[in-house]
Amino acid sequence: MTLHLVKLCVGVDSVEDLQAWIDFSRDEAREAGREWERIHVTRMVPSRREEILDGGSLYWVIKGQVQVRSPLTDIRPFTDASGVKRCELVMEPLLVRTETQPRRPFQGWRYLKPEDAPRDAHTVSDAPDMPAEMRRQLAELGLL
């Protein structure tokens, strides 16, 4: 059974902001002649790796709302130079907008069952040209 992760997207104000950061990271690696993968490093290693890699995604909470997901392709545990165990969450270089879903702040990541995950957004109201602040306000009012 597929399982997802959900994580706060700290320091990002919108989906467009996250996309800009991804683009910057990719361009910087290319300019330096390095291969680029979309990776997020986290401290804890998910113990349910096989379920997550069976079609799971990392759902990003931006400004208190799940707004977008990134399909996961690998989970790589490693030990950093200081001897601390960490994990690379490897994602497709793709952001998939989701229906908004409110989330309270939390630390780290959490497992997310498929039945609790927001659906991918396919409505006119979730159009990419709608300002993020308007989208957030409409979601708070229960209109998205």
Side-chain angles (χ1 to χ4, degrees), residues 55-103:
S57 289
L58 179 57
Y59 283 77
W60 291 105
V61 178
I62 301 172
K63 294 294 186 184
Q65 302 274 337
V66 175
Q67 297 184 37
V68 67
R69 68 180 178 88
S70 301
L72 288 159
T73 60
D74 202 2
I75 297 172
R76 299 181 194 142
F78 72 98
T79 303
D80 70 13
S82 302
V84 178
K85 291 184 179 180
R86 299 197 182 274
C87 176
E88 291 179 337
L89 301 175
V90 184
M91 298 162 275
E92 291 183 21
L94 163 73
L95 293 178
V96 179
R97 282 190 184 271
T98 66
E99 293 180 348
T100 57
Q101 183 184 77
R103 282 286 166 153

Side-chain angles (χ1 to χ4, degrees), residues 3 5 46 48-57 72 75 111:
L3 189 63
L5 298 176
R48 299 173 71 180
R49 182 180 191 277
E50 295 307 315
E51 291 171 88
I52 294 166
L53 294 180
D54 184 26
S57 289
L72 288 159
I75 297 172
Y111 290 115

Side-chain angles (χ1 to χ4, degrees), residues 16-66:
E16 294 77 17
D17 199 17
L18 177 57
Q19 184 63 59
W21 185 87
I22 292 167
D23 295 343
F24 173 79
S25 170
R26 182 194 59 232
D27 294 346
E28 187 177 56
R30 286 182 181 164
E31 287 176 16
R34 296 187 318 262
E35 284 223 17
W36 180 78
E37 280 186 303
R38 181 148 175 252
I39 295 174
H40 179 77
V41 176
T42 185
R43 175 105 191 249
M44 302 303 292
V45 179
S47 60
R48 299 173 71 180
R49 182 180 191 277
E50 295 307 315
E51 291 171 88
I52 294 166
L53 294 180
D54 184 26
S57 289
L58 179 57
Y59 283 77
W60 291 105
V61 178
I62 301 172
K63 294 294 186 184
Q65 302 274 337
V66 175

Side-chain angles (χ1 to χ4, degrees), residues 121-137:
H122 296 291
T123 64
V124 173
S125 62
D126 276 327
D129 57 341
M130 179 185 291
E133 180 62 17
M134 181 185 294
R135 188 179 300 116
R136 185 190 62 74
Q137 289 174 351

